[in-house]
Amino acid sequence: MSESKLAGRFFDAAIGLLQRVRDEESANVAAAGTAVADTVAAGGRLFAFGAGHSSLPAQDVVYRAGGLALMNLLAVPGAVGVDVMPATLGSALERVDGLASAVLDASPARAGDLLVIISLSGRNALPVEMAMNARALGLTVIGVTSVAYAQETRSRHVSGTFLKDHCDIVLDSHIAVGDAELTHPAVEAPFAPASTVVTSALMQATMAAAAEQLAERGIEPPLLRSGNVDGGHEWNGHVMDEYGDRIFFRH
């Protein structure tokens, strides 16, 4: 079978975007890593939130081999993605005012903690309100979004603002509006989104920067190991016991 030209073009597009965020977001990634390290060192807790497919990069850093054990998913029921039927309900929930406030109030998040909010467009009520309320509660907020949406679309929040307007640090994914890298003359809609690839890379780069910062301060980063390697379960059990009061994805 011959090689797919479009498959190759997608890899090229994704690689190009990864190179761009590596070069253009390096200072912001370093700042985000420092903020995570500061929170860990100060005894704070880490949370990540994303709605719809933006929840995938958030989940990618929670309870993950090679990841920080302190990262917890701040889940909004029905908004994680395709966990509800019909799936369109998840999109509708992103536009509901007051939902983020209710979730934050019921969560263990408190002043001194850190919350990463992932939203490709950053225009819906849920991520905007989440960022506003989290900062009001005294959390450090890192936003991972495409700034292009704030330049080319209108906010759906009553304030008229975007996620990027309520963050201490913004990581720009540089994804074009519409999140589709490819077109074909015989296909009406553009296709092949790259936002998950790029946003997950930004998240992992931030965690790497945080681990580096902690190590430079003489603090052992609370990292998990794979349970599929010898000694992994024992290592993870030790980490879970030591940091159990800051881990909320277990009972």
Side-chain angles (χ1 to χ4, degrees):
M1 183 179 290
S2 62
E3 180 179 312
S4 169
K5 293 181 180 179
L6 285 181
R9 280 176 54 195
F10 175 76
F11 281 117
D12 290 341
I15 291 168
L17 282 164
L18 289 170
Q19 290 176 329
R20 184 177 182 186
V21 296
R22 178 197 63 191
D23 296 340
E24 297 184 22
E25 297 302 309
S26 59
N28 293 328
V29 168
T34 297
V36 171
D38 288 345
T39 304
V40 172
R45 293 84 61 80
L46 307 173
F47 298 90
F49 163 77
H53 286 94
S54 289
S55 73
L56 297 177
Q59 295 178 59
D60 195 42
V61 293
V62 176
Y63 189 51
R64 182 64 190 263
L68 291 172
L70 306 188
M71 184 60 76
N72 304 277
L73 185 67
L74 186 65
V76 175
V80 173
V82 291
D83 62 332
V84 293
M85 292 184 65
T88 50
L89 176 60
S91 298
L93 289 173
E94 291 186 58
R95 305 183 190 185
V96 175
D97 293 326
L99 183 56
S101 176
V103 169
L104 273 173
D105 289 346
S107 80
R110 65 189 185 195
D113 292 345
L114 180 143
L115 172 62
V116 182
I117 300 176
I118 304 169
S119 173
L120 177 61
S121 72
R123 68 189 298 225
N124 288 311
L126 188 54
V128 174
E129 182 184 301
M130 187 74 77
M132 294 174 70
N133 289 8
R135 289 184 85 187
L137 289 172
L139 278 75
T140 298
V141 177
I142 298 173
V144 187
T145 187
S146 171
V147 173
Y149 277 84
Q151 300 166 341
E152 301 177 34
T153 69
R154 297 179 64 180
S155 170
R156 288 175 173 151
H157 188 256
V158 65
S159 67
T161 60
F162 287 77
L163 168 62
K164 74 174 186 64
D165 300 317
H166 306 285
C167 299
D168 298 288
I169 301 166
V170 175
L171 303 181
D172 186 358
S173 64
H174 295 278
I175 299 294
V177 173
D179 191 19
E181 295 300 318
L182 302 181
T183 58
H184 188 282
V187 180
E188 290 191 27
F191 52 96
S195 61
T196 304
V197 173
V198 176
T199 304
S200 288
L202 281 168
M203 292 296 290
Q204 295 297 349
T206 297
M207 297 304 109
E212 180 182 33
Q213 277 280 328
L214 289 167
E216 289 177 353
R217 302 179 196 184
I219 300 172
E220 178 69 29
L223 296 168
L224 296 172
R225 292 188 176 185
S226 172
N228 296 313
V229 299
D230 292 343
H233 285 299
E234 292 76 12
W235 172 277
N236 292 342
H238 171 74
V239 173
M240 293 285 194
D241 288 341
E242 183 174 354
Y243 293 95
D245 61 335
R246 298 155 75 180
I247 298 172
F248 302 102
F249 51 75
R250 67 169 194 170
H251 292 294

